[in-house]
Amino acid sequence: MLFMKCPGCGTEMTAMMLNARLGKPVTIDVCAGCQAFWFDHFDSLQLSAGSTLKLMKFIGEHSSPGRLSLPDALRCPRCATALRLAHNMQRNMPFTYWRCGSDDGHFIGFFEFLKEKNFIHTLSPEQIKELRQNVQFVNCSNCGASINLESSSACPYCHSPISMLDMKQPQRMLEQLQQAAAPRPIDPALPLKLASAKLELETSLAEFDRSPEWWSDARSSGLVQAGLNAVSRWLAEKLVD
C-alpha cells in the first residue's frame, strides 16, 4: 500500500475511509503534525454529514495549540505540481486552502476546514463583552498569537477576528442524522427549532460552552480548541463508528 506524503512536512499521511453523500466511500488523507487534510478532486463536497462529524471528532482528538509552520512552496502529492493558495467564502466566513493546478485535489488546514463546513463563527460585540468577564487573554485561532481582550477584538498580528466553534452545529447535524434514520416523519417544526437554536447562539455564549473545563481550555488553548475538546468528548459518546 502506497502512503501519501504530506505537502507540508513530507511525512506519511494517515488515510481515513469515510462515506460520501451517495454512499460511495472516499479516502481522506490526514497529517496530524501539520493539522491538515488532503482531499482528492471534490471529495470534500461529497462528504456525508456523519463523515464530517467523524473528521471533526478526529480534529478534536489530534489538534493542538502549536502548529508546524508550512513551507513557502507546497507541491501536489499526486502530480508534484506547485499548489496554489486559493480563497473562498462559506456564508460570511472566508477560508483558504492550497489547490493543485492540475485539479488533482486540495490541501486544507484543520481550522480552515472547520470554516468551510460552517463550524466557525465570529463573535458578536455582545459575546466578546461576555467573554471579557471570564478571560483576559485568548489565543488567535488562525495564527496562535495572544489577544488581550481588554484592548482588542481581533488578532494584532494576522488581524483575524475572534472566532469560536459553533457548538450547536454538530448537535444539529447529529439530530438530522438520527431523524433521517428513524422510521417516522420529520418534525415539521424542525426548521423553526434550528433557527431558534442558531439565534440563541448568535446572541449569547451557549450554555454548553460554560463548563469549568471549557473555560480552562479557552484560557490555555483558545476558543476554537476549547470547543473542539468539548465537542470531541461529546461526539465520543454520541457518534458510533
Side-chain angles (χ1 to χ4, degrees):
M1 180 179 179
L2 295 178
F3 291 93
M4 181 178 293
K5 299 291 186 179
C6 173
C9 64
T11 61
E12 292 182 351
M13 302 183 80
T14 301
M16 295 181 64
M17 185 73 72
L18 300 168
N19 291 326
R21 293 184 183 274
L22 299 179
K24 181 181 178 181
V26 296
T27 300
I28 309 303
D29 294 281
V30 185
C31 179
C34 290
Q35 300 185 32
F37 299 122
W38 173 266
F39 290 97
D40 284 332
H41 305 293
F42 302 103
D43 284 352
S44 178
L45 300 176
Q46 299 172 8
L47 286 177
S48 67
S51 293
T52 301
L53 288 178
K54 288 181 180 180
L55 277 182
M56 187 177 184
K57 179 173 177 287
F58 181 93
I59 294 174
E61 292 173 344
H62 293 82
S63 59
S64 61
R67 287 172 289 182
L68 295 177
S69 297
L70 295 177
D72 294 333
L74 301 177
R75 294 199 171 272
C76 174
R78 296 294 187 195
C79 66
T81 59
L83 296 179
R84 304 171 182 174
L85 184 63
H87 300 264
N88 210 326
M89 184 78 71
Q90 170 59 253
R91 298 188 180 178
N92 294 322
M93 178 64 68
F95 66 94
T96 60
Y97 55 95
W98 291 265
R99 67 177 183 85
C100 171
S102 300
D103 293 328
D104 283 330
H106 70 272
F107 187 62
I108 186 169
F110 285 4
F111 181 54
E112 300 300 316
F113 172 80
L114 292 173
K115 292 196 287 186
E116 178 191 7
K117 295 303 180 181
N118 199 33
F119 284 118
I120 301 295
H121 80 273
T122 301
L123 266 64
S124 66
E126 291 79 11
Q127 289 176 318
I128 293 176
K129 181 179 179 180
E130 184 175 354
L131 184 63
R132 287 183 177 126
Q133 298 174 6
N134 294 275
V135 294
Q136 182 179 355
F137 293 90
V138 295
N139 293 331
C140 174
S141 299
N142 183 51
C143 71
S146 179
I147 304 173
N148 187 341
L149 295 176
E150 292 298 323
S151 57
S152 302
S153 57
C155 177
Y157 297 96
C158 70
H159 308 295
S160 297
I162 298 175
S163 302
M164 69 178 295
L165 194 74
D166 181 346
M167 290 161 56
K168 293 290 186 182
Q169 177 76 344
Q171 295 181 59
R172 289 194 292 267
M173 293 181 72
L174 188 59
E175 288 171 1
Q176 290 172 336
L177 285 174
Q178 292 171 337
Q179 290 183 353
R184 60 178 184 274
I186 295 178
D187 182 359
L190 179 61
L192 181 61
K193 292 178 180 178
L194 295 183
S196 176
K198 186 69 174 177
L199 179 63
E200 175 188 350
L201 180 69
E202 291 173 348
T203 56
S204 177
L205 296 174
E207 289 296 328
F208 183 61
D209 300 351
R210 296 182 178 181
S211 69
E213 192 170 15
W214 189 91
W215 285 116
S216 176
D217 287 342
R219 293 185 184 95
S220 61
S221 304
L223 299 180
V224 171
Q225 185 63 46
L228 279 172
N229 292 346
V231 172
S232 180
R233 292 189 293 267
W234 178 74
L235 285 176
E237 301 175 358
K238 302 292 185 180
L239 193 60
V240 178
D241 292 331

